Amino acid sequence: MAPTSVQCFAARDKKGKLERCEYEPLPLQAGDIEIKVTHNGLCHSDVHVMREQWGPCKYPMVPGHEIVGVVEQMGSSVTHLKKGDTVGFGWFKDCCQHCDACITGNDNICPEGAATIMGGGQNRGGFAERFRGSGNLAFKIPDNMNPADAAPLLCAGVTVWSPIRKYVTKPGMKVGVVGLGGLGHLAIQFLAKAVGAEVFAISHSPNKKEEAMKLGATHFVGLEDIKDNTLDVVLNTTPGGMDAKKLLSKVGYNGALVYLGGGTDTIKIAAFDLIPAQKQVVGSCVGGRALMREMFHLASLHDIKPIVDKMPLDKCNEAVDRLMGGEARYRIVLETGDVFSRSNL
């Protein structure tokens, strides 16, 4: 193996399992950094991309977009980081920094943004020994935060914080969180601890009630238990399978139903479901750099952290099966450890 080669786990087709392989990274640019990967959060989005549920994928495909590691190399123009810093990369590893989206703080929707795992080619994720990306999209992990806890915040954390920041504008607002999984259990914490919302954890899994209340939920209910036109905001964190019309019926006047899970279900809502009470149905895509930094600050300050289930990286196929089988409680984090130095691999 050439010294520059990166060992990784990759999918070779949309039905295949992740396999050990290697690739040659592009040269390190002036604004890039290279990190030694220590942790990866496992997200539904990794599976959506790997299985071509969001469009064509170029294989081999390396998942992983909740990446934490230690800086080992830096390009000549990187001055805000140093070797040995613990940093993370999320859904994006670069953006143009000059379009309207970027200069207004919405770099998460930059038309030229480089997604960490989308598109194939050199968009290879963190299920690897090393990872390269723009230093501008690397986020310093707070000193008081465990790297395993930080990993899921790089996607799941900012994904829930972004719409909370935009639509939950004052304490005491009534907010429904649909689904108590990787996204939902973090949304409850940010709403309760950082915003002071009245949180309705909406689930049909009674075994999750005790956990939800400990996380900060005010109520634990089924969707049918909520009166119509009651909630100011509903955050749908599920990947699909929910009746949009029923969800919207629980939203009050000037309220918002926000989609966070990246499912492929068609949303069927009539215009008149929206107009009389001036309701809105919106999507929210992770968050820009300012929101990411704000989210990490709040998580550090209020001890907001995911409930993680740690597994070694070479158990990534088992981890995917557990995730898709609904067995993750609540975010699987894959630890690199000595996986790539073991002689039996």
Side-chain angles (χ1 to χ4, degrees):
M1 185 182 70
T4 57
S5 295
V6 176
Q7 298 184 73
C8 63
F9 286 89
R12 298 189 182 277
D13 58 62
K14 67 179 180 181
K15 294 181 179 180
K17 295 291 186 180
L18 293 163
E19 300 175 9
R20 175 82 174 265
C21 65
E22 61 185 58
Y23 70 92
E24 293 292 328
L26 292 174
L28 193 76
Q29 301 299 310
D32 292 346
I33 67 169
E34 180 176 276
I35 64 173
K36 180 179 180 180
V37 179
T38 60
H39 298 82
N40 278 275
L42 177 61
C43 176
H44 270 99
S45 300
D46 292 308
V47 183
H48 287 311
V49 175
M50 185 169 63
R51 297 182 177 175
E52 291 195 322
Q53 294 169 340
W54 289 352
C57 176
K58 184 177 179 181
Y59 299 99
M61 179 267 179
V62 182
H65 63 276
E66 296 179 339
I67 312 164
V68 174
V70 178
V71 177
E72 289 198 329
Q73 292 191 65
M74 299 183 298
S76 59
S77 67
V78 179
T79 58
H80 64 293
L81 297 171
K82 64 181 185 300
K83 291 182 179 180
D85 282 345
T86 300
V87 302
F89 284 91
W91 183 252
F92 291 100
K93 66 174 184 178
D94 204 357
C95 60
C96 77
Q97 301 185 59
H98 57 73
C99 69
D100 288 344
C102 284
I103 65 176
T104 56
N106 296 295
D107 39 281
N108 55 304
I109 52 174
C110 170
E112 299 177 33
T116 301
I117 60 171
M118 289 285 283
Q122 282 296 314
N123 287 358
R124 302 194 190 278
F127 286 19
E129 58 178 343
R130 304 194 308 277
F131 177 82
R132 289 181 178 181
S134 169
N136 289 321
L137 270 292
F139 299 92
K140 185 81 180 299
I141 304 303
D143 291 337
N144 67 339
M145 188 173 291
N146 187 301
D149 293 336
L153 296 179
L154 288 155
C155 177
V158 74
T159 292
V160 299
W161 174 246
S162 181
I164 291 171
R165 184 72 159 77
K166 185 172 184 178
Y167 298 105
V168 185
T169 56
K170 59 185 178 181
M173 290 182 69
K174 297 179 179 179
V175 183
V177 177
V178 183
L180 186 58
L183 294 176
H185 89 290
L186 286 170
I188 289 172
Q189 293 182 73
F190 278 106
L191 286 163
K193 297 180 179 181
V195 178
E198 183 177 351
V199 185
F200 292 72
I202 302 172
S203 174
H204 290 286
S205 301
N207 62 321
K208 293 184 177 181
K209 180 177 181 178
E210 182 179 356
E211 196 92 69
M213 303 305 285
K214 286 181 180 178
L215 291 171
T218 318
H219 313 277
F220 184 90
V221 294
L223 188 62
E224 67 280 357
D225 299 323
I226 302 174
K227 293 181 180 179
D228 288 353
N229 305 306
T230 295
L231 304 176
D232 297 301
V233 179
V234 172
L235 303 177
N236 182 14
T237 72
T238 67
M242 299 296 297
D243 186 321
K245 193 177 180 73
K246 287 183 180 179
L247 289 175
L248 187 63
S249 71
K250 307 306 177 182
V251 177
Y253 70 91
N254 290 328
L257 168 58
V258 186
Y259 278 80
L260 302 180
T264 56
D265 293 354
T266 299
I267 300 173
K268 297 181 179 180
I269 292 173
F272 205 71
D273 295 328
L274 303 171
I275 293 171
Q278 300 185 155
K279 300 179 183 182
Q280 54 184 314
V281 178
V282 299
S284 185
C285 177
V286 288
R289 287 174 290 174
L291 284 175
M292 184 78 85
R293 290 179 179 179
E294 186 176 83
M295 179 276 301
F296 268 119
H297 174 74
L298 289 169
S300 174
L301 183 66
H302 295 289
D303 195 29
I304 296 170
K305 57 187 177 183
I307 297 172
V308 299
D309 186 356
K310 301 176 187 177
M311 299 177 67
L313 181 58
D314 57 349
K315 298 294 184 182
C316 51
N317 286 305
E318 180 183 334
V320 169
D321 290 342
R322 290 185 58 193
L323 173 66
M324 302 312 292
E327 299 174 15
R329 291 292 186 274
Y330 286 97
R331 203 67 162 186
I332 293 175
V333 173
L334 298 168
E335 298 182 303
T336 308
D338 63 350
V339 163
F340 293 109
S341 62
R342 293 185 208 151
S343 59
N344 62 333
L345 282 180

